[in-house]
């Protein structure tokens, strides 16, 4: 460059800028495709995008589920005994078992075609949203803690404490409509927040690992609530020997959103509001900025003047309140006839998967929560109609999260091009580089 | 605040070589809290009468007399001792000396003795069989110890293992099926190890090959294994229980002489082969980690993968095989549920043991011996509440069930505090 004449730099720059685009053109003839057509580019953009990975992950998981259903189906087993004599029977049996299960699944979660009119046919979709309500709320709680770099496995305990507090207010006080609901809701949120706050406070003050503390608090809450449920005067229904509460008073129950023939309740609106709130906190507020800074690198955050310890406490309080909302919506919305110690229904743990699938973003959690709500609603319908145990839903759900978390695996299975690998067959991705080593 | 700064830095005037004294008021504060709780318990709800501890079981060759303690006297003596120990620890901290481990152990033993005497004296039958208590404790600890060893190895090599629960459950399921269908418990044990390895393969493949967040994979694997085993249980095992879910159990093997020692003998040396395997595993993991080339490399990969890579250690391969080994160990622990304890597989029969094992790993500061002791503590607490339930405890049984978990929280917050795991645990190693 320095040897060139003073007039030349412009030229040199020009040629320099021309060379890089020329490179792919000169290399392109190597692979079979010459110029990249518009359709190829469109195909590549779709094939390397995130959306296709998510769709294919769901398909793959459903495929595994289908294999499990087919292999354990009695009719398939009977037909496979004489497989070599009449292989068709086996395939028919497989088709019947799988399609029966999945159509029951669809009709239980989205739309039931066997119903005469739209109003009853759409009922499964409202069931899906009802199941999704606590999943969204609790998923938000777990996701928020994730963003601050904490792992809140204590959803079960926080839900139980919130349910107990909200339920106690809801059945033992007499307050006017609206006020009663609000007080019960606040009591539940407070209980969940405080229960999670213990873990946050201990982490901030003594450095106790939040994973241990939240796991231990799950058990403490379970036994505490179990004891209260069987102690007259606390949570146990008067005149009963069962460990169960009396039904909630009408003034405290969440109103039905779509009328009495649907189970969808006001809790769903609250969950949506929580999504917006968490989005605002994380993406728009100063507190959320500090949260994310601590989550990315607590040491750097401390150097930047953020009070890391109080962030841990605040994050756990908010996380606990959100999970508490899940407990409240269970007690005041879904199971209003009195609850026992199984009120959490595993939602505290499902919430972790929801948060992971939603990649710890509020809108992602909303989508993941609705998807998992559909799985729950459909799973129950499938169990009732086809006798397929609902546990298969757990398998499908966890496989979806696994596949979505590992896009290279899904790409390898479907032989999709990796992102960034243009028509010129660019260098292999880092993944391949490391495995080849 | 009441908690003084933990790390008193050396002031600049002092010579550079002066020892940094770490002073923590946590231990005295925790001691004081426990002492006050004990005092409240003994004073507000006093129990008169006597507590009998039966040392020897009926079949022992060497019969020892029962130990009888007067509840009131024991309560006061224990309370005095607890107060004294609290004062001693406070004085030691004031004199800028660390509270030694043995003091904490003595404190714990005195508290447990006082509590036991109080609880047994107030029970409906005032006799506590010590042999049963300890045997139950060991039996409940076995899967926890296997699980925590698995966690220690995996995290020391740099892969966070939340999938312990899944590995235990997979081991329990596979061992039940294989042992029932072949009629050979040893094959079942082997299959349990293989099942644990398979779960680990998934963890290792996703965490090491695809760089997926290890916590995500672990949590999801737990759900996957729960779903998979529960599905197969309802669909296949339950209808064919005789053929597939009635595994033969291991016989207890009494080791000559050792098994005749009072209390210790029947507890530790009249056990199934899985328990003996556990002793070997604890020792092997400890020696392997800290006294062999394998352990040195493993820890190097977990602490500083770049440095390990620079000296020629293959980081992904080391991680992959050691995570698989960890899975095998946890799988063996899972076999104890079906081949050692219960005798048949049940849905979600591990019931959170994997998470307790995880807590034991962190509680034990990623050290195999300390993690084993932590697991034993959890086992003892569970066994204690079981025994007190049998003899009719004066406390609502839920509070007894709660106790081990509360003790853990107090211990983790009070004594362990901020623990530091292997530096590179949870971080994928991407060679640049």
């Amino acid at each position: 460059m320095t040897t060139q004449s003073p007039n030349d730099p412009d030229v040199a720059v020009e040629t320099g800028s021309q060379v890089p685009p020329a490179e792919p053109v000169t290399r392109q003839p190597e692979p079979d495709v010459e110029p990249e057509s518009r359709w190829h580019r469109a195909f590549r953009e779709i094939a390397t995008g995130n959306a296709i990975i998510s769709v294919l992950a769901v398909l793959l998981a459903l495929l595994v589920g289908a294999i499990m259903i087919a292999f354990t189906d009695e009719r398939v087993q009977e037909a496979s005994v004489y497989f070599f004599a009449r292989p068709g029977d086996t395939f028919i049996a497989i088709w019947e078992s799988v399609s029966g299960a999945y159509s029951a699944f669809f009709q239980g979660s989205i739309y039931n075609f066997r119903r005469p009119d739209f109003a009853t046919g759409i009922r499964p979709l409202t069931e899906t949203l009802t199941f999704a309500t606590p999943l969204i709320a609790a998923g938000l709680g777990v996701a928020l803690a994730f963003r601050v770099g904490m792992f809140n496995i204590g959803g079960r305990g926080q839900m139980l404490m919130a349910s107990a507090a909200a339920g106690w207010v809801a059945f033992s006080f007499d307050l006017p409509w609206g006020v009663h609901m609000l007080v019960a809701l606040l009591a539940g949120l407070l209980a969940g927040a405080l229960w999670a706050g213990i873990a946050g406070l201990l982490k901030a003050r003594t450095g106790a690992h939040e994973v241990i503390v939240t796991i231990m608090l799950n058990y403490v809450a379970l036994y505490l609530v179990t004891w209260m449920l069987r102690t007259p005067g606390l949570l146990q229904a008067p005149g009963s020997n069962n460990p169960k509460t009396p039904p909630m008073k009408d003034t405290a129950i969440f109103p039905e959103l779509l009328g009495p023939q649907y189970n969808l309740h006001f809790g769903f609106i609250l969950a949506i509001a929580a999504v917006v709130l968490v989005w605002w906190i994380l993406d728009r507020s100063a507190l959320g900025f500090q949260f994310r800074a601590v989550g990315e690198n607590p040491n750097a955050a401390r150097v930047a003047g953020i009070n890391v310890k109080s962030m841990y406490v605040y994050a756990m309080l908010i996380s606990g309140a959100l999970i508490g909302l899940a407990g409240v919506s269970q007690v005041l919305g879904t199971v209003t006839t009195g609850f026992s110690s199984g009120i959490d229904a595993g939602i505290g743990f499902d919430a972790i998967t929801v948060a992971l699938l939603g990649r710890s973003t509020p809108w992602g959690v909303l989508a993941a929560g609705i998807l998992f709500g559909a799985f729950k609603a459909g799973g129950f319908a499938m169990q009732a109609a086809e006798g397929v145990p609902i546990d298969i839903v757990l398998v499908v759900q966890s496989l979806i999260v696994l596949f979505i978390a590992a896009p290279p695996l899904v790409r390898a299975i479907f032989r999709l091009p990796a992102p960034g690998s243009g028509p010129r067959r660019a260098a292999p991705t880092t993944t391949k580089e490391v495995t080849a080593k | 605040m009441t908690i003084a700064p933990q790390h008193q830095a050396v002031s600049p005037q002092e010579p550079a070589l002066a020892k940094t004294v770490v002073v923590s008021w946590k231990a005295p504060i925790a001691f004081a809290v426990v002492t006050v709780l004990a005092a409240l318990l003994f004073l507000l709800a006093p129990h008169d009468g006597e507590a009998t501890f039966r040392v020897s079981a009926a079949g022992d060759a060497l019969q020892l007399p029962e130990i009888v303690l007067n509840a009131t006297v024991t309560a006061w003596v224990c309370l005095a001792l607890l107060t004294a120990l609290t004062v001693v620890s406070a004085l030691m901290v004031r004199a800028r000396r660390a509270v030694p481990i043995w003091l904490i152990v003595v404190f714990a033993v005195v508290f447990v003795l006082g509590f036991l005497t109080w609880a047994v004296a107030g029970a409906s039958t005032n006799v506590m069989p010590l042999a049963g208590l300890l045997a139950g404790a060991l039996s409940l600890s076995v899967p926890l110890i296997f699980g925590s060893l698995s966690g220690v190895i995996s995290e020391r090599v740099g892969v966070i293992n939340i999938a312990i629960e899944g590995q235990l459950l997979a081991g329990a399921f596979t061992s039940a099926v294989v042992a029932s269908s072949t009629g050979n418990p040893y094959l079942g044990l082997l299959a349990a190890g293989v099942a644990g390895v398979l779960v680990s393969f998934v963890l290792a493949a996703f965490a090491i090959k695809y760089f997926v967040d290890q916590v995500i994979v672990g949590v999801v694997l737990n759900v996957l294994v729960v779903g998979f085993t529960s599905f197969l249980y309802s669909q296949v095992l339950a209808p064919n229980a005789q053929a597939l879910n009635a595994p033969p159990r291991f016989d207890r093997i009494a080791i000559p002489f050792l098994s005749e020692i009072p209390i210790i003998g029947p507890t530790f040396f009249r056990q199934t082969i899985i328990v003996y395997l556990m002793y070997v595993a604890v020792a092997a993991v400890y020696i392997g980690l800290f006294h062999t080339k394998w352990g040195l490399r493993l820890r190097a990969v977990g602490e500083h993968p770049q440095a390990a890579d620079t000296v020629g250690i293959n980081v992904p391969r080391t991680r992959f095989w050691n995570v698989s080994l960890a899975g095998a160990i946890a799988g063996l622990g899972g076999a104890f549920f079906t081949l050692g304890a219960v005798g048949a597989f049940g849905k979600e029969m591990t019931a959170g043991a994997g998470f307790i094992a995880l807590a034991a790993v962190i509680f034990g500061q990623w050290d195999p011996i300390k993690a084993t002791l932590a697991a034993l503590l959890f086992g003892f607490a569970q066994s204690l509440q079981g025994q007190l339930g049998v003899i009719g405890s004066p406390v609502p049984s839920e509070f007894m069930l709660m106790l081990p978990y509360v003790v853990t929280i107090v211990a983790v917050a009070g004594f362990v505090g901020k623990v530091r795991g292997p530096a590179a645990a949870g971080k994928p190693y991407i060679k640049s």
Side-chain angles (χ1 to χ4, degrees), chain B residues 323-403:
Chain B
V323 171
S324 307
L325 174 71
I329 292 175
L332 296 181
F336 183 78
F337 283 103
T338 43
L339 304 181
V342 181
F345 181 79
K347 261 189 190 184
E348 296 181 52
M349 73 183 306
T350 49
F355 290 105
I356 302 283
L358 187 68
V361 171
I362 303 173
F363 199 1
Q365 299 171 330
W366 291 270
D367 178 293
I369 303 288
K370 284 186 194 163
T372 303
L373 292 177
L376 279 170
L377 177 76
F378 289 127
F380 178 77
Q382 283 179 5
S383 172
L384 181 64
Q385 68 84 12
Q387 288 290 344
L388 285 178
V390 170
I391 65 171
S393 146
V395 201
S397 63
E398 285 86 3
F399 286 93
M400 294 305 308
L401 285 161
M402 219 186 274
L403 192 69

Side-chain angles (χ1 to χ4, degrees), chain B residues 46-405:
Chain B
H47 288 155
D48 300 331
E50 292 174 333
T52 310
F53 295 97
R54 187 173 294 152
V55 179
S56 305
D60 284 359
L62 192 64
Q63 288 288 338
L64 294 181
E66 293 175 342
I67 301 170
V68 182
L69 294 175
N70 184 301
T72 320
V73 175
T74 316
W76 282 105
V77 169
C78 285
L79 211 53
L81 280 173
L82 292 181
T83 317
L85 286 168
T86 310
V87 172
V88 167
S89 72
L91 287 177
M92 287 178 96
V93 173
R94 250 189 90 196
R96 306 184 66 72
R97 285 169 59 197
V99 179
I101 297 284
W102 63 262
L103 200 74
I104 298 173
V105 172
V106 169
F107 186 90
V109 168
V110 171
F111 174 74
V112 169
L113 183 73
F115 179 77
L116 260 183
T117 313
W118 175 84
V120 173
S124 39
T125 47
N126 299 344
V127 183
M128 162 68 78
L130 272 187
L133 178 68
L134 292 178
L138 185 73
S139 154
L140 287 164
S141 308
V142 171
L144 301 180
I145 293 176
F146 274 112
S148 56
L149 287 180
S150 163
V152 167
I153 292 182
S154 184
E155 303 207 2
R156 281 275 183 177
V157 83
V159 178
I160 293 178
N161 191 357
I162 297 202
I164 301 174
E165 175 88 359
Q167 290 160 347
L168 287 174
L169 196 58
F173 178 82
T174 320
S175 64
V177 173
V178 171
S180 316
S181 51
T182 61
N184 185 342
Y186 293 94
L187 281 180
L189 191 61
L190 192 70
V194 173
V197 171
L198 287 180
V199 176
S200 269
F201 273 167
V202 182
L203 173 66
F206 278 85
I208 300 168
K209 187 175 158 81
Y210 295 113
F211 311 130
V212 182
D213 189 324
Q214 296 162 1
V215 173
I216 297 185
V217 189
V219 171
V220 171
L221 269 180
N222 287 338
V223 181
L224 181 66
V225 175
V226 168
F228 203 70
T229 53
S230 301
F231 178 80
L232 289 180
Y233 175 80
S234 321
Q235 282 289 75
V236 183
L237 254 59
N240 313 309
Q242 266 311 309
L244 291 176
N245 198 13
R249 283 162 67 177
F250 282 114
D251 296 325
R252 286 175 186 275
I253 306 166
I255 294 188
F257 305 119
L258 286 178
S259 61
E260 297 304 323
I261 306 169
I263 304 185
I264 297 173
T267 309
F268 293 102
F269 300 109
R270 215 172 281 170
Q271 291 290 357
T272 59
I273 188 163
I274 305 182
V275 178
Y276 296 128
L277 207 60
M278 180 193 81
Y279 301 152
V280 176
V282 172
V285 170
Y286 173 73
I287 295 171
L289 269 185
F290 298 111
H291 298 284
T292 66
K293 196 166 78 179
W294 163 71
L296 185 64
R297 291 187 168 182
L298 187 157
R299 287 182 290 135
V301 167
E303 288 289 344
H304 202 317
Q306 273 88 359
D309 196 6
T310 311
V311 296
I313 300 171
N314 187 333
V315 174
R317 193 193 292 162
T318 310
R319 285 192 168 174
F320 189 88
W321 289 114
N322 282 303
V323 171
S324 307
L325 174 71
I329 292 175
L332 296 181
F336 183 78
F337 283 103
T338 43
L339 304 181
V342 181
F345 181 79
K347 261 189 190 184
E348 296 181 52
M349 73 183 306
T350 49
F355 290 105
I356 302 283
L358 187 68
V361 171
I362 303 173
F363 199 1
Q365 299 171 330
W366 291 270
D367 178 293
I369 303 288
K370 284 186 194 163
T372 303
L373 292 177
L376 279 170
L377 177 76
F378 289 127
F380 178 77
Q382 283 179 5
S383 172
L384 181 64
Q385 68 84 12
Q387 288 290 344
L388 285 178
V390 170
I391 65 171
S393 146
V395 201
S397 63
E398 285 86 3
F399 286 93
M400 294 305 308
L401 285 161
M402 219 186 274
L403 192 69
Y405 307 111

Side-chain angles (χ1 to χ4, degrees), chain A residues 68 230 356 391 398 437, chain B residues 216 220 224 231 347 398 431:
Chain A
M68 285 176 64
R230 72 172 181 82
L356 295 177
D391 308 297
S398 47
K437 183 182 62 72
Chain B
I216 297 185
V220 171
L224 181 66
F231 178 80
K347 261 189 190 184
E398 285 86 3
K431 196 177 180 181

